[in-house]
Amino acid sequence: MNISHIEHLGIAVENLEESIKYYETVLGLKCYSIEEVVDQKVKTAFFLVGNTKIELLESTSPDGPIGKFIEKKGQGIHHIAFAVPNATDALKTAEKRGVRLVDKVSRKGAEGLDIGFLHPKSTLGVLTELCSKQE
Ligand code: ZN
């Protein structure tokens, strides 16, 4: 799978603007990008912390994945994303190792990355994303 580092932590928030304020004024981080990912029904905000990013996720619809997550569990850490050389290859490797997949092949995520998710039922309850920069 060749994981190189934690690419980002995804954090579900109710209100993106208020959450950005907390990260900027309390933690002193700088939001460098806000982006809507239409097919995931989310608005995202990114912060760089060393080599790792924080991705805040606000749902744009109650029936989106983040909307449902917040309804069930409230705000908090939603997923961990590992950087790999090739997301589709890494998904295939995980499947061969008996992991249930959310995505059989990678798709387009925020920041133009190729991303795919492993199912939390197979990953000890932690929704796990694998992502790679496009070739
Ligand atoms: Zn993510």
Side-chain angles (χ1 to χ4, degrees):
M1 206 169 292
N2 289 315
I3 292 170
S4 58
H5 62 285
I6 295 173
E7 215 281 334
H8 63 271
L9 289 174
I11 298 175
V13 300
E14 280 165 8
N15 183 308
L16 201 62
E17 241 173 79
E18 278 174 24
S19 306
I20 290 169
K21 253 185 235 161
Y22 164 75
Y23 280 86
E24 292 196 329
T25 60
V26 178
L27 299 184
L29 299 171
K30 180 92 194 89
C31 175
Y32 69 87
S33 162
I34 293 176
E35 186 184 338
E36 186 167 346
V37 183
V38 174
D39 74 320
Q40 284 300 296
K41 299 180 177 169
V42 288
K43 244 167 66 183
T44 64
F46 282 94
F47 301 83
L48 194 58
V49 188
N51 212 10
T52 299
K53 296 161 195 164
I54 303 269
E55 174 187 39
L56 302 182
L57 301 146
E58 180 197 78
S59 189
T60 55
S61 160
D63 68 345
I66 295 300
K68 285 187 200 151
F69 177 87
I70 286 182
E71 194 184 302
K72 256 198 257 168
K73 299 190 173 175
Q75 303 189 97
I77 292 186
H78 177 258
H79 65 272
I80 183 167
F82 294 111
V84 294
N86 182 302
T88 294
D89 288 352
L91 289 168
K92 283 192 185 126
T93 302
E95 192 171 35
K96 269 189 223 143
R97 292 174 182 169
V99 171
R100 193 170 140 197
L101 304 180
V102 175
D103 301 296
K104 290 263 176 202
V105 291
S106 67
R107 56 190 161 83
K108 199 59 61 226
E111 300 201 299
L113 294 176
D114 291 326
I115 67 155
F117 284 93
L118 309 181
H119 199 282
K121 285 242 153 65
S122 293
T123 57
L124 310 173
V126 179
L127 179 60
T128 301
E129 176 181 346
L130 301 169
C131 55
S132 59
K133 289 207 177 98
Q134 260 185 301
E135 307 291 301

